[in-house]
């Protein structure tokens, strides 16, 4: 099995927000993105909507769900309940859902704010509050329109990539025949 370092999994930290006990509401998340955009080029997409939150009663922690949580970067120790997640200051998740996940925010306990990350479609994404000595309260997930990355760039649809692969393979086969 491959081993991964946590830095290989971390989305880019956009910033922190929520101050002393503030939650990761859409307004506070947008403030963090706006602060980032005021100081950086290229800018991040502001076309986002709330997708899910790990402390909702309906949130599914099952290993076949859209969001799978792990204690380790290798994905060997599954987190299967909200109480397991909230006992950690660092964890990882894998997203397999249909929605276009762009950002995720990791909230500390009531006296702490949140950290906003860009989502990276790699095997696992880091959720880290270890520098703040706080345990994870919850994780919120933010989606955007299909076919864009967090910077608003177009992402080719999987079917377009498959078509391109077919064309390239056919071209290579044609060259061999010629």
């Amino acid at each position: 099995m491959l081993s991964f370092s946590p830095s290989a999994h971390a989305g880019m930290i956009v910033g922190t927000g929520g101050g002393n006990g503030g939650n990761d509401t859409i307004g506070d998340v947008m403030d963090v993105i706006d602060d980032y955009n005021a100081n950086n080029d290229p800018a991040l997409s502001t076309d986002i909507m709330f997708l899910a939150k790990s402390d909702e009663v309906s949130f599914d922690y099952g290993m076949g769900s859209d969001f799978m949580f792990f204690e380790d970067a290798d994905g060997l120790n599954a987190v299967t309940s909200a109480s397991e997640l909230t006992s950690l200051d660092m964890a990882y998740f894998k997203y397999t859902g249909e929605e276009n996940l762009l950002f995720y925010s990791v909230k500390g306990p009531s006296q702490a704010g949140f950290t906003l990350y860009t989502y990276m479609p790699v095997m696992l994404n880091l959720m880290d509050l270890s520098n703040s000595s706080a345990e994870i309260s919850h994780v919120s997930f933010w989606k955007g329109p299909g076919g864009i990355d967090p910077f608003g760039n177009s992402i080719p649809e999987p079917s377009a990539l498959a078509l391109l692969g077919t064309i390239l393979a056919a071209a290579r086969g044609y060259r061999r025949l010629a």
Side-chain angles (χ1 to χ4, degrees):
M1 165 158 272
L2 292 173
S3 181
F4 300 97
S5 68
S7 62
H9 303 285
M12 179 188 76
I13 294 178
V14 176
T16 59
N20 295 323
N23 276 322
D24 48 354
T25 63
I26 186 73
D28 287 342
V29 167
M30 290 302 296
D31 286 346
V32 171
I33 292 172
D34 288 343
D35 287 347
Y36 176 89
N37 287 346
N39 298 305
N40 296 281
D41 184 28
L44 292 170
S45 175
T46 57
D47 190 4
I48 64 168
M49 295 185 314
F50 174 76
L51 176 59
K53 188 189 284 189
S54 67
D55 66 351
E56 293 176 333
V57 174
S58 62
F59 195 85
D60 183 2
Y61 281 86
M63 289 312 296
S65 71
D66 289 351
F67 298 96
M68 294 176 278
F69 294 90
F70 302 93
E71 290 183 36
D72 61 314
D74 292 325
L76 300 175
N77 298 309
V79 173
T80 58
S81 70
S83 62
E84 285 181 57
L85 182 62
T86 59
S87 70
L88 302 171
D89 63 3
M90 183 187 306
Y92 300 83
F93 78 92
K94 178 180 181 179
Y95 175 68
T96 59
E98 298 284 325
E99 300 288 347
N100 186 26
L101 185 61
L102 294 182
F103 302 100
Y104 59 100
S105 49
V106 183
K107 173 77 172 79
S110 61
Q111 73 275 15
F114 66 89
T115 302
L116 182 68
Y117 293 87
T118 58
Y119 169 70
M120 302 301 290
V122 294
M123 183 170 176
L124 297 176
N125 278 262
L126 175 67
M127 302 175 292
D128 186 8
L129 291 175
S130 59
N131 290 335
S132 67
S133 299
E135 293 174 340
I136 296 170
S137 166
H138 65 265
V139 183
S140 296
F141 301 95
W142 307 91
K143 67 179 181 173
I148 67 165
D149 69 9
F151 292 94
N153 300 313
S154 293
I155 301 171
E157 292 294 323
S159 59
L161 291 175
L163 177 61
L164 177 61
T166 302
I167 291 169
L168 291 174
R172 191 164 78 207
Y174 177 75
R175 268 193 234 150
R176 285 184 184 165
L177 289 175

